[in-house]
Amino acid sequence: MSTFERISSAPPELDDIGVNLPAPADFSTALAEGFARRIATLARRVGASGEAVKWAARAAFAASRATAEGHVCLPLAVLARRFDASSAEVRAALFASGMASDGSQSAAALRPLVIDGQGRLYLARYYDYERRLARSLVTHAGGGQVEGVRSREYARAAADADARGSASEAPNTPTGAGEGGNANASAASRAGANAGASAGAGAGAGAGAGAGANADANADANSGANADPATQTLHERLLRYFGPPQDDEVDWQRVAAVTALSGRLTIVSGGPGTGKTTTVVGVLACLLDARADLRIALAAPTGKAAQRMQEALLARAGDLPPELAARLPQTSYTLHRLLGSGPGGRFRHHRDNPLPYDVVVIDEASMIDVAMAAHLLDAIAPQTRLVMLGDKDQLAAVEAGAVFAELSARPAFTQNGLQRIAEALGIEAARLSQALPGASSGVDEGPDDFFAHASAPDDFDTQNPLADCVVWLERNYRFGLESPIGRLSLAIRNGAAGAALEVLRIDPAEPCAAALYEDTHATLADRTVARLAAGFAAYAEALAETLAADTPDPLPLFDALNRFRILCATRSGPRGVDQVNAAMAAQVRRSAGVTLAVGAQWFAGRPVMVTRNDYALGLFNGDIGIALPGAGGALRVYFRTGDGGLRAVSPAALPPHDTAFALTVHKSQGSEFQHAVLMLPSVFSRVLSRELVYTAITRARERVDVIGARAVLAQAIATPTQRDSGLAARIAEAWRVA
């Protein structure tokens, strides 16, 4: 059932406009009703017929509710079918009402409603967001290589950088062999040789690489030596900052790096542990090695995501030469701060006042809605590199649109692009081409029809505007795809509920890596509550020890808290965040011997999550704090800082916050825990989706439990998020006229 059909199944009559609309059950519905009334009034004022006024009101309500549900637009056929009419009849009536335009007009000339050439109904504002975004993407992606492997500017910068120091003085320390990194990188670093020698040393002593892989690495290095000077320079830098190849598989981190170093738009999609941060550090090291005064900005949709990005980057920076590490950005921004959010939703940076950076890196890009994406691309200067990182299979933005999933759904490479990447990697282009992700990979590619209905030319698949811009990272360095969590996440991505249930052990007597505990009652069974409380036993024990000390130290509590977390699909109800948090708070207080005064909300050991940014306090949406007695005995809420320290804030001064034993799956994005539990509602709810289950499962590093009915889990896995959008059509249109 479509969004419009679901929300208008039994509407009452609104006499003043004669249109069946739902009574306002929530704010978005009330807003849609008010908008429909306003459009009906305007249509009457311009002399529209009674029938045209009705259709204008219906369309206004439907389009408004669709955006509230996360859609950018609504198929006109859905609206027509709801009222037993034809699409042609509805289109004619809407144009006759004077409230709709066909989208060919400028932004200022658009009517409140827009019907595009493919029969999609938009609010004018969202149509303009989509059109602006498409034009910006086409312009940025199609502007040619910027300081790329064939760019004279990059070649000059590289030659200048190399001329300033001998081979022994050149940076030769690759990024670390931590999660998402190349194991041979550290070996190359310890060898203390130049890039060519590092390749040889890594080939001779690289851990985990067989003789065949070593020979292939040497062949790759020799192949790179035959390339033109700029390509050879890039090839050496890849070896220097990524280390020699681990094995004979194509290293997609390097492919992503070459893509980012060769063009102005790069979209990198990968699940947790696939090395997105390692890739970014390597890219920035290569760029800074060539140009020391590069201006770089790091940003993410939320404050917590921005902070995590900064922390992860600085953690990897320790493996870089000190002079390069010192040039990395020392702060990160929310997108609103980056763009300069002002009154009325306006931004200081836009097309006429672009951001003053050479490189902009955006993490957690899957959380960006169509409106923010349009504002961001508007503010990117023509010569600025934009690198967007995310996971196409995770939950989409809370607001309208699934921009990142759409853009990253279908990687495509031109022959020139493949050849350029192959030369930089020192491998054959045919080998790279054969390794490209596709239908044979066994992975559900998500919205793989992104360009299928875009009215594009026959060669759009290999000549599309985003060719040579999109790279998938699929090799997992956190948990292998053959591990239970890896197999479970893959089955969920494929929508294979049966395969997912085969991975999960049902009601196991002993803990295991992936389990399903069937608790199907409306309220949680006592044994389920006890099992959840046992997950916080380490935290309760650490809390008791901390409170027994003369000076309580919060740091051990953060580590204990991150071992285990409950992730709920819903906020309300007996299986929602609110009630689960209350139950776990009572269990932890009892285990740690903490008392709670009558009517009090705060207690020692209460973990909280900030839910709204407070720039004055430096606290951001998603920040986790823990309440403990301060020096005078009064409770203070302690937060970890980016440098590993602590800061304390009075509970009364905190911005809006929630108890954080349990989080919504949405709020958990970007976090990871040793052991995670997904709490499903007792019956299927429309908030459940494949993406929600995948996001929750991949928060776990070592162990994951699902609590609920297997039928509910199976239905959620079989329900992918479908968001109506016309972005592909807008990109095709922008490409044709570019």
Side-chain angles (χ1 to χ4, degrees), residues 468-510:
D468 305 329
C469 293
V470 179
V471 179
W472 288 356
L473 302 181
E474 296 193 297
R475 184 171 186 171
N476 201 294
Y477 299 86
R478 179 180 302 175
F479 45 78
L481 290 180
E482 294 305 315
S483 69
I485 295 178
R487 288 186 289 124
L488 180 58
S489 66
L490 185 60
I492 294 168
R493 285 172 54 192
N494 286 337
L501 289 171
E502 287 180 4
V503 176
L504 292 165
R505 291 181 59 186
I506 310 299
D507 293 322
E510 299 293 331

Side-chain angles (χ1 to χ4, degrees), residues 549-624:
D550 293 336
T551 304
D553 181 7
L555 285 176
L557 290 180
F558 284 98
D559 296 332
L561 182 63
N562 283 331
R563 294 179 191 173
F564 179 74
R565 203 62 60 90
I566 303 168
L567 310 179
C568 300
T570 60
R571 172 164 292 280
S572 59
R575 292 166 174 262
V577 163
D578 295 339
Q579 292 195 33
V580 172
N581 265 322
M584 291 302 102
Q587 294 283 339
V588 169
R589 287 198 307 271
R590 185 179 303 114
S591 298
V594 175
T595 59
L596 180 67
V598 176
Q601 180 182 17
W602 285 97
F603 57 90
R606 181 193 180 195
V608 295
M609 172 180 274
V610 174
T611 59
R612 184 183 301 167
N613 295 338
D614 188 321
Y615 294 110
L617 285 176
L619 294 176
F620 302 102
N621 182 14
D623 283 351
I624 298 290

